[in-house]
Amino acid sequence: AQSVAQPEDQVNVAEGNPLTVKCTYSVSGNPYLFWYVQYPNRGLQFLLKYITGDNLVKGSYGFEAEFNKSQTSFHLKKPSALVSDSALYFCAVRGGNQGGKLIFGQGTELSVKP
Amino acid sequence: DAGVTQSPTHLIKTRGQQVTLRCSPKSGHDTVSWYQQALGQGPQFIFQYYEEEERQRGNFPDRFSGHQFPNYSSELNVNALLLGDSALYLCASSLGGALYTEAFFGQGTRLTVV
């Protein structure tokens, strides 16, 4: 069965420092991987996706993610965190024989302190 | 571009009642998916509609049903509401059925069952 794991419920970072939000996945066949961000009482906002090709993908607001097939990981990164990056981040996967549905992780709360 | 719009934003219902939630997809999108997000969890796939047909369904009981109209807008209906149905219901739209296309989410409908 397909699944996504976000091993950290919360990540704390000082403003200006690099940040990493971890994601690992399990899917049969080629994965299509996505990162979304959710601000309080709001829907999900698309950040970036990996389909094929270059393992480092760049997305909105300076975020990027690194796909690692051998480790089945898709970690979200940003070189320099902003206080405004504080939000809930979700990793999601499509693929295998699961059709078009997105399988989401449990989410990681990112807190960036000044 | 209006993006994905959902109505209402908040709703309070009594156990046993029925509820209808509405969604208008992003302009140009023809596929609508519904997700349930319980507090502190990632979104869970309910079902997806394409060309007015339910194309895929998640592990939700038959009390959850939906519809897609010719203009691609969609409704989610939940019958015989349970306390456990309290959640944020998210609508997502996308174009066609390609697995690599990102889904765009609305702001959600917060349903509270009392």
Side-chain angles (χ1 to χ4, degrees):
Chain A
Q2 294 190 154
S3 64
V4 174
Q6 295 180 241
E8 299 157 319
D9 291 335
Q10 185 161 13
V11 170
N12 298 306
V13 177
E15 188 175 30
N17 283 0
L19 70 87
T20 299
V21 182
K22 296 179 180 178
C23 171
T24 59
Y25 66 90
S26 174
V27 66
S28 57
N30 293 322
Y32 300 95
L33 296 155
F34 304 82
W35 275 101
Y36 286 86
V37 60
Q38 185 175 37
Y39 295 97
N41 300 312
R42 301 293 298 275
L44 275 67
Q45 185 174 337
F46 170 74
L47 282 178
L48 50 79
K49 66 181 178 182
Y50 172 81
I51 304 302
T52 188
D54 194 349
N55 289 341
L56 185 66
V57 294
K58 295 187 183 297
S60 306
Y61 313 116
F63 283 95
E64 57 190 29
E66 187 170 12
F67 171 67
N68 187 315
K69 187 173 183 178
S70 63
Q71 296 186 5
T72 61
S73 67
F74 188 54
H75 300 332
L76 181 70
K77 301 181 179 184
K78 188 173 182 181
S80 179
L82 299 172
V83 172
S84 58
D85 292 331
S86 299
L88 188 57
Y89 290 80
F90 288 98
C91 180
V93 67
R94 276 198 194 120
N97 60 353
Q98 296 298 308
K101 71 177 181 182
L102 286 165
I103 305 295
F104 284 88
Q106 289 291 91
T108 298
E109 185 79 40
L110 173 65
S111 177
V112 182
K113 301 295 186 185
Chain B
D1 185 1
V4 181
T5 58
Q6 293 185 242
S7 63
T9 54
H10 294 83
L11 203 53
I12 300 175
K13 289 287 189 179
T14 304
R15 261 184 312 175
Q17 284 189 316
Q18 178 264 343
V19 68
T20 297
L21 311 182
R22 295 176 175 83
C23 172
S24 292
K26 181 178 170 65
S27 178
H29 285 183
D30 56 8
T31 303
V32 173
S33 302
W34 287 92
Y35 291 80
Q36 180 195 67
Q37 186 180 15
L39 201 61
Q41 298 187 19
Q44 298 290 317
F45 176 78
I46 302 175
F47 41 53
Q48 183 180 81
Y49 277 83
Y50 174 70
E51 293 188 342
E52 303 180 54
E53 296 286 333
E54 183 182 289
R55 182 160 66 177
Q56 191 178 8
R57 189 179 181 91
N59 294 325
F60 280 81
D62 292 344
R63 298 187 297 109
F64 290 77
S65 63
H67 189 79
Q68 186 178 35
F69 299 93
N71 66 354
Y72 306 122
S73 66
S74 177
E75 289 181 348
L76 164 65
N77 300 292
V78 187
N79 294 322
L81 284 166
L82 304 173
L83 295 180
D85 295 331
S86 295
L88 181 67
Y89 288 85
L90 296 165
C91 171
S93 75
S94 56
L95 180 59
L99 299 183
Y100 54 79
T101 58
E102 60 269 31
F104 289 83
F105 284 79
Q107 83 283 3
T109 295
R110 173 71 64 187
L111 172 65
T112 303
V113 182
V114 297

